[in-house]
Amino acid sequence: MSPKRKSNLSIEHALLGFIQEQPLHGYEIHQRLQAAQQLGLVWHLKQAHLYALLSKLESDGLIAAELIAQEARPPRRLLQLTAAGREAFANWVAAPVQHGRDLRIEFLAKLFWAQQRGATPTEQLIAAQRDECRMWLDNLRVEMAQSTDTTPYALLVLEFRRGQIEAMLEWLDTCESALASAAT
Amino acid sequence: MSPKRKSNLSIEHALLGFIQEQPLHGYEIHQRLQAAQQLGLVWHLKQAHLYALLSKLESDGLIAAELIAQEARPPRRLLQLTAAGREAFANWVAAPVQHGRDLRIEFLAKLFWAQQRGATPTEQLIAAQRDECRMWLDNLRVEMAQSTDTTPYALLVLEFRRGQIEAMLEWLDTCESALASAAT
DNA sequence: ATCTTTATACTCACTAATTGAGTACTCGAA
DNA sequence: TTCGAGTACTCAATTAGTGAGTATAAAGAT
């Protein structure tokens, strides 16, 4: 009833990238997701799930469908970005992820699209994520410094997180130089 | 109808640890899960979710409940390990996780219980996980070596994973020395 | 000439995961 | 005396995710 559902979109935004250039239908998007060496490397989606996410994006007004009848086949639902969708996608690509658990999939997906968009968006994304990671590290260090009454286990947990974040930061540097050398 | 449901238990096993020593009821388990510096540090569960997981464990025959009536309050369901549950828990604690995505929560949960059990189980778990991680690394290196026709993006994805696994391996070393020095 | 795959383009019904909210009582403090 | 906090769960609802199915055409096999 209420017009504003709490729409928890995040990784779904990655699908919008496929229809930036030209409208596509769901089946084709699924094909491209599977394609080797691309997004499918980090994000796996069953077909039925893909269609579910697409309708979610549609009901959120980020994409709009146009029915293209085909004689004797199910009609294609040609999907295209709405203005809101185009904006949401741009924002999503540019924004770093806010939690470590989102690095493996969502950040790599952002990087994929950023890198399709060119060197500048890529560098900006990397810089933004680096800032975010540094913030996480700073917070961790504060927590660890305050740890006088900390159990050995709790300390190990914090050290685990520190290690993962530091590895991420080093890898972000790798990304930058890889892309810089790819540009030349 | 069929007696064998495909029961996809894994992280749920961590709950069994709470009733190793004495039977507890769900509410109490939730309290202990929240307790600072413990498992709650890595695994957050809403109350309703906890109860759902407990019934799953029960229908899998790993725990059994005894109803304890209390005058004028809802009766407690006192939960205890079955023989199968005790075995399943021991196996779970000893086994390394098979996928990188399970490191942040499930492995840390295993470590928590291993370390409650003493130095030997802890060392064994760490060793087993180290072997597993080394295997992942070896596979990654093969993939990377075979990468002649690889896009820069695909290469970065592989390098990301390598970084995370290497950080994990270093951290496993930290764990070992931390626990060794705690033992003295 | 017919028969079987394979590709196209989705839909449906279901189970599992997860959440918010509620219930029904007690006890201690203001 | 009433208000909040604690005890111990339960329920209904929403979301996520999967397996299987549908309907058709074109391509290839026998």
Side-chain angles (χ1 to χ4, degrees):
Chain A
M1 286 299 135
S2 84
K4 273 197 187 170
R5 312 183 303 97
K6 202 186 307 112
S7 56
N8 237 23
L9 298 179
S10 56
I11 179 69
E12 294 85 341
H13 284 100
L15 296 174
L16 300 177
F18 289 105
I19 50 176
Q20 286 173 99
E21 312 279 321
Q22 77 283 94
L24 293 179
H25 51 280
Y27 187 87
E28 173 80 20
I29 292 176
H30 190 245
Q31 301 293 306
R32 301 200 179 191
L33 246 182
Q34 311 288 84
Q37 314 261 334
Q38 311 255 349
L39 242 196
L41 208 57
V42 297
W43 193 28
H44 307 284
L45 274 185
K46 302 278 165 88
Q47 217 186 13
H49 194 191
L50 199 230
Y51 280 103
L53 296 183
L54 288 174
S55 7
K56 215 168 132 190
L57 289 167
E58 198 180 347
S59 77
D60 269 62
L62 304 187
I63 62 183
E66 189 190 354
L67 277 179
I68 308 279
Q70 308 180 100
E71 69 275 25
R73 283 209 206 167
R76 292 178 164 183
R77 304 190 70 239
L78 254 200
L79 302 168
Q80 52 199 311
L81 283 181
T82 60
R86 196 167 294 278
E87 202 196 326
F89 180 66
N91 291 338
W92 176 81
V93 173
V97 301
Q98 314 271 350
H99 196 287
R101 73 179 147 245
D102 297 323
L103 292 174
R104 324 180 116 273
I105 296 180
E106 191 167 355
F107 179 76
L108 291 176
K110 282 169 191 264
L111 184 66
F112 177 78
W113 288 118
Q115 158 253 356
Q116 304 280 311
R117 295 195 142 196
T120 314
T122 307
E123 275 156 34
Q124 283 170 358
L125 174 63
I126 291 173
Q129 191 65 62
R130 180 158 29 220
D131 288 350
E132 184 70 27
C133 287
R134 289 229 181 89
M135 224 183 60
W136 300 346
L137 256 193
D138 288 346
N139 292 341
L140 260 185
R141 285 203 241 268
V142 169
E143 264 192 271
M144 292 173 80
Q146 287 171 346
S147 304
T148 45
D149 60 336
T150 309
T151 63
Y153 176 72
L155 203 59
L156 284 174
V157 170
L158 297 180
E159 268 164 14
F160 172 83
R161 291 189 187 144
R162 185 181 56 183
Q164 297 290 306
I165 299 169
E166 277 169 356
M168 175 74 183
L169 279 165
E170 277 174 47
W171 173 79
L172 285 171
D173 292 341
T174 310
C175 283
E176 256 184 356
S177 39
L179 296 163
S181 72
T184 51
Chain B
M1 287 297 138
S2 84
K4 274 195 185 169
R5 313 182 302 97
K6 203 192 301 117
S7 56
N8 235 22
L9 299 178
S10 56
I11 179 70
E12 294 86 340
H13 284 101
L15 297 174
L16 300 177
F18 289 105
I19 49 176
Q20 286 175 98
E21 312 279 323
Q22 76 283 96
L24 294 179
H25 51 280
Y27 187 85
E28 173 80 19
I29 293 175
H30 190 245
Q31 300 293 304
R32 300 199 180 191
L33 205 42
Q34 309 288 83
Q37 314 260 333
Q38 311 256 349
L39 242 196
L41 209 54
V42 297
W43 192 29
H44 306 285
L45 274 185
K46 303 277 165 87
Q47 216 186 14
H49 193 191
L50 200 230
Y51 281 103
L53 296 183
L54 288 173
S55 9
K56 215 169 131 189
L57 289 167
E58 197 180 347
S59 77
D60 268 62
L62 304 187
I63 62 182
E66 189 190 355
L67 276 179
I68 309 279
Q70 310 179 100
E71 69 274 28
R73 282 211 206 163
R76 290 179 165 181
R77 304 191 70 239
L78 254 200
L79 302 169
Q80 50 199 309
L81 283 182
T82 61
R86 196 167 295 279
E87 202 197 325
F89 180 66
N91 291 338
W92 176 80
V93 172
V97 301
Q98 315 270 351
H99 196 287
R101 75 178 144 245
D102 297 324
L103 291 173
R104 338 182 102 259
I105 296 180
E106 192 168 355
F107 180 77
L108 291 176
K110 282 169 192 265
L111 184 67
F112 177 77
W113 288 118
Q115 157 253 358
Q116 303 280 311
R117 295 195 142 197
T120 314
T122 307
E123 274 156 36
Q124 282 169 359
L125 173 64
I126 291 174
Q129 191 64 62
R130 179 157 33 219
D131 287 350
E132 184 71 26
C133 286
R134 289 228 181 91
M135 225 183 60
W136 299 347
L137 256 193
D138 288 346
N139 292 341
L140 260 184
R141 284 203 241 269
V142 169
E143 264 192 90
M144 291 173 82
Q146 287 171 346
S147 305
T148 47
D149 61 336
T150 309
T151 62
Y153 176 72
L155 204 59
L156 284 174
V157 170
L158 298 180
E159 269 164 13
F160 172 83
R161 290 184 189 148
R162 185 181 58 183
Q164 298 291 305
I165 299 170
E166 278 170 354
M168 175 74 183
L169 278 165
E170 277 174 47
W171 174 79
L172 285 170
D173 292 341
T174 309
C175 282
E176 257 182 356
S177 39
L179 296 164
S181 72
T184 52

